Amino acid sequence: MKVINLSEHNSVLNQYLREIRDVNIQQDSLRFRRNIERIGEVMAIEVSKVLAYAPTEVQTPLAKATVNTIAEPLVLATILRAGMPLHQGFLNIFDHAENAFLSAYRRMGRNVHGEEQLEIVAEYLAAPSIEGKTLIIADPMLATGMSMEVGYLALLKHGKPKHTHLCCTIGTKQAVEYLQKALGDPEDVTLWCAAIDPELNEKKYIVPGLGDAGDLCFGEKL
């Protein structure tokens, strides 16, 4: 699995990252959502650079012109609810893509030894066939990597994609290592992160991170 950390290169993306991390600026939920969306737009353009293209002829008022356009079908998927603004950013760029939606949530369970552990539960999936298509999964916070893994495996029930791009705003070194191990390091999967942070706290929140992306986007939940 190829891993791309976009914060290693200077771009306007870093401005949006700074603002979503800032405890004062992020209190403006409208601006927070828009910054997540803009990160999705920048990431989508970066992803677009590695897709397959083919020449397309178009008639202008004066003559015919040839333009290279994306030549592979795309499916944009997200994990509700925090993923919606990031998904919208991708959709703003890939406006002809099909879409898929998955619900997932955290809960505490117990392993075979009776020890308490975090589980990710997926309950709802609405998706087209992804057979032979390019799949893009947008999930803003890659804390443990478990929700991304659950989403990816659930979507595989709708076919085998040509290539999968896992896209997050902020990930952790632990999550990257987890996905590399859990997915078997496949060559047809690329992980894109706007930034990769060093650690998780005891509640499995990313540090320094930015807090709860879903709550900052849409308000606190019970």
Side-chain angles (χ1 to χ4, degrees):
M1 180 178 71
K2 186 176 183 180
V3 179
I4 298 173
N5 181 359
L6 294 174
S7 67
E8 293 177 343
H9 309 282
N10 289 331
S11 79
V12 70
L13 180 71
N14 291 333
Q15 172 67 23
Y16 309 145
L17 277 171
R18 184 192 74 81
E19 291 193 6
I20 64 172
R21 289 186 190 269
D22 190 303
V23 68
N24 296 308
I25 297 175
Q26 67 179 205
Q27 299 308 308
D28 182 346
S29 60
L30 175 61
R31 187 168 186 84
F32 185 86
R33 289 194 302 272
R34 180 58 185 132
N35 279 329
I36 294 288
E37 187 177 330
R38 292 197 288 186
I39 289 171
E41 292 169 347
V42 174
M43 295 186 78
I45 291 172
E46 293 298 321
V47 171
S48 76
K49 297 176 183 179
V50 302
L51 301 178
Y53 285 74
T56 301
E57 192 174 77
V58 60
Q59 179 69 53
T60 80
L62 302 177
K64 290 183 178 180
T66 300
V67 182
N68 284 340
T69 57
I70 296 172
E72 52 186 289
L74 305 178
V75 177
L76 303 179
T78 198
I79 300 174
L80 303 173
R81 67 180 168 145
M84 292 173 63
L86 188 64
H87 178 95
Q88 185 61 52
F90 275 89
L91 190 58
N92 290 345
I93 304 302
F94 298 130
D95 56 332
H96 291 88
E98 297 178 279
N99 292 266
F101 300 92
L102 173 77
S103 72
Y105 65 92
R106 294 178 172 189
R107 75 177 181 191
M108 295 306 297
R110 295 189 180 277
N111 61 22
V112 294
H113 304 293
E115 300 166 333
E116 193 173 54
Q117 66 178 21
L118 181 68
E119 296 179 341
I120 304 296
V121 181
E123 289 189 329
Y124 170 82
L125 173 64
S129 169
I130 62 172
E131 184 68 34
K133 301 174 183 177
T134 295
L135 174 64
I136 299 172
I137 304 177
D139 189 12
M141 306 303 288
L142 191 71
T144 65
M146 294 172 63
S147 62
M148 186 70 85
E149 177 198 17
V150 167
Y152 173 67
L153 295 178
L155 286 160
L156 290 184
K157 297 175 183 178
H158 285 239
K160 178 175 174 54
K162 173 187 174 184
H163 196 97
T164 301
H165 298 277
L166 309 177
C167 301
C168 72
T169 300
I170 300 177
T172 64
K173 294 179 180 179
Q174 177 180 324
V176 172
E177 293 171 358
Y178 175 85
L179 287 175
Q180 288 174 325
K181 182 178 180 180
L183 303 183
D185 203 18
E187 294 183 359
D188 60 351
V189 176
T190 303
L191 174 62
W192 300 75
C193 300
I196 298 177
D197 283 359
E199 61 183 334
L200 293 171
N201 64 16
E202 65 281 358
K203 295 183 179 180
K204 305 300 182 183
Y205 278 93
I206 300 172
V207 179
L210 52 77
D212 189 304
D215 286 357
L216 289 168
C217 282
F218 303 111
E220 293 186 8
K221 57 189 176 296
L222 293 176

